[in-house]
Amino acid sequence: MFPAVLFERLDDNKVKCNLCNHHCIIPLGKRGICGVRENQGGHLFSLVYGKIIAENVDPIEKKPLYHFLPGSLSYSIATVGCNLQCSFCQNYEISQYPRLFEGEIPGKRRSPEDIVQGAKITGCKSISYTYTEPTIFFEFALDTAKLAASQGLKNVFVSNGYMTKEAVDLIKSYLHGINVDLKSFRESFYQKICKAKLSPVLETLKYLKRCGIWVEITTLIIPGENDDPSELREMARFIKNELGAETPWHLSRFFPRFRMLDKPITPLETLQKAYYIGKEEGLYYIYIGNVPGNETEHTYCPKCQGLVIKREGFFIVENKLDADGACPFCGYRLEGVWR
Ligand code: SF4
């Protein structure tokens, strides 16, 4: 057990966790909604510090982050647990593990030094805190991110965006990029399908942007749940008006998973419609994901429309940008983290 950050002590030995927007009030001996933070003796502890359930070397494009050191490798780690309970979760075996297996928390013992060392010897340029929600293993992510940054590595979260501003404040100096799932633009979707709320995600997104962290958005489009054109248009408008037209929007194809087995795979036509809605609203960079070989997996210059990064799935076939992200055809500096 590792002492948790961002909690308050309350009467009757209860604690209030302020790491994510559930703000769980946890009685003595109990855990928060994420299932990996426990009140022991009136103090909050992380049960997953250094208990790594997944550890892989991935292309950064897999996160997906398309404007962040393209073509580089990212050392990717996770613990079990999640603060959301999305019925379509693509990684439910690990994200929901404590819920599915009576609170059990498996994982291999690793230190921040082990992770940084692993990243360096495998030639990774960054560490990704991913697969499950990094907020719930925040203490380990923070210690690792500090060490990684001191050794010239970058840090990336792949997140549901449910962390609080206080959590962002703790890590913002070490966090260089984040991909946030914007799962829907309807409160009812978040409440029914994810057991969470939409509005804190929108606030956190705006705050991440204000903090100068590179942000990309992913929306998994589920037939009949969040594919209504008016909802997609509202989402695209939010991204443009609140986060900026330069914020990449990844439109991802849904495959039936976990408790959502009754929905079909997203038709390509739906993804294309969403793509054109985003374009009509003025977003510069829109990518259709989980559909290999489509022409929207490449990056085009928003000024001259020249093809500047050519991809095949998660792999870069050609990158014509210079070290500062400038287009070779017109000189426009594309937005992103390029070095
Ligand atoms: S991190 Fe876990 S314990 Fe803390 S508020 Fe979120 S769900 Fe509750």
Side-chain angles (χ1 to χ4, degrees), residues 8 77 130 328:
E8 294 169 46
I77 59 166
T130 179

Side-chain angles (χ1 to χ4, degrees), residues 13-15 26-30 37-44:
N13 273 329
K14 288 180 184 159
V15 297
I26 310 169
L28 195 62
K30 301 289 183 196
R37 303 172 74 76
E38 188 167 294
N39 177 347
Q40 289 284 338
H43 292 263
L44 190 63

Side-chain angles (χ1 to χ4, degrees), residues 17 19-20 22-24 26 32-34 37 83 136:
C17 177
L19 190 55
C20 91
H22 284 307
H23 292 289
C24 297
I26 310 169
I33 289 171
C34 55
R37 303 172 74 76
N83 48 356
I136 60 93

Side-chain angles (χ1 to χ4, degrees), residues 59-216:
I60 191 78
E61 284 73 16
K62 196 173 175 184
K63 302 301 122 196
L65 280 172
Y66 278 17
H67 290 231
F68 192 98
L69 305 179
S72 68
L73 296 174
S74 193
Y75 203 77
S76 303
I77 59 166
T79 71
V80 295
C82 190
N83 48 356
L84 268 56
Q85 302 172 55
C86 306
S87 53
F88 53 85
C89 183
Q90 307 287 301
N91 284 335
Y92 74 93
E93 297 95 333
I94 55 174
S95 72
Q96 304 300 316
Y97 196 101
R99 270 188 208 101
L100 297 171
F101 295 97
E102 296 172 346
E104 200 187 322
I105 296 181
K108 284 189 189 156
R109 279 272 159 228
R110 290 280 188 271
S111 65
E113 288 78 11
D114 294 335
I115 301 303
V116 171
Q117 180 72 0
K120 285 164 80 175
I121 61 176
T122 52
C124 291
K125 294 270 192 296
S126 62
I127 296 177
S128 288
Y129 309 85
T130 179
Y131 308 130
T132 58
E133 171 53 41
T135 307
I136 60 93
F137 60 95
F138 193 83
E139 292 79 7
F140 188 75
L142 182 61
D143 285 353
T144 306
K146 283 182 183 171
L147 185 66
S150 75
Q151 301 201 15
L153 294 167
K154 298 211 183 297
N155 294 292
V156 163
F157 269 22
V158 180
S159 173
N160 54 37
Y162 217 57
M163 70 188 78
T164 57
K165 287 181 184 171
E166 296 95 304
V168 175
D169 283 339
L170 278 183
I171 203 159
K172 65 186 177 190
S173 304
Y174 316 100
L175 188 64
H176 306 94
I178 186 164
N179 185 303
V180 175
D181 269 348
L182 183 53
K183 297 168 191 286
S184 162
F185 215 65
R186 298 281 178 264
E187 282 291 354
S188 55
F189 179 105
Y190 268 84
Q191 284 171 20
K192 184 180 82 169
I193 296 178
C194 307
K195 308 276 188 284
K197 294 183 195 142
L198 165 65
S199 51
V201 178
L202 302 182
E203 290 308 310
T204 296
L205 271 169
K206 290 191 259 181
Y207 192 60
L208 287 163
K209 197 75 188 186
R210 280 208 298 281
C211 291
I213 297 164
W214 177 251
V215 175
E216 303 195 17

Side-chain angles (χ1 to χ4, degrees), residues 171-273:
I171 203 159
K172 65 186 177 190
S173 304
Y174 316 100
L175 188 64
H176 306 94
I178 186 164
N179 185 303
V180 175
D181 269 348
L182 183 53
K183 297 168 191 286
S184 162
F185 215 65
R186 298 281 178 264
E187 282 291 354
S188 55
F189 179 105
Y190 268 84
Q191 284 171 20
K192 184 180 82 169
I193 296 178
C194 307
K195 308 276 188 284
K197 294 183 195 142
L198 165 65
S199 51
V201 178
L202 302 182
E203 290 308 310
T204 296
L205 271 169
K206 290 191 259 181
Y207 192 60
L208 287 163
K209 197 75 188 186
R210 280 208 298 281
C211 291
I213 297 164
W214 177 251
V215 175
E216 303 195 17
I217 305 283
T218 295
T219 302
L220 182 75
I221 300 191
I222 306 170
E225 294 291 354
N226 62 357
D227 60 347
D228 184 82
S230 61
E231 178 179 351
L232 292 165
R233 194 170 294 283
E234 285 172 49
M235 203 181 286
R237 275 185 194 157
F238 168 82
I239 296 171
K240 172 150 184 245
N241 296 336
E242 302 292 346
L243 309 179
E246 75 283 2
T247 308
W249 191 21
H250 299 266
L251 302 166
S252 206
R253 184 177 229 176
F254 164 83
F255 290 91
R257 244 353 227 146
F258 192 31
R259 297 196 170 111
M260 196 177 273
L261 301 172
D262 57 333
K263 300 281 173 192
I265 295 170
T266 321
L268 186 53
E269 196 188 28
T270 305
L271 295 160
Q272 286 165 336
K273 268 189 201 153

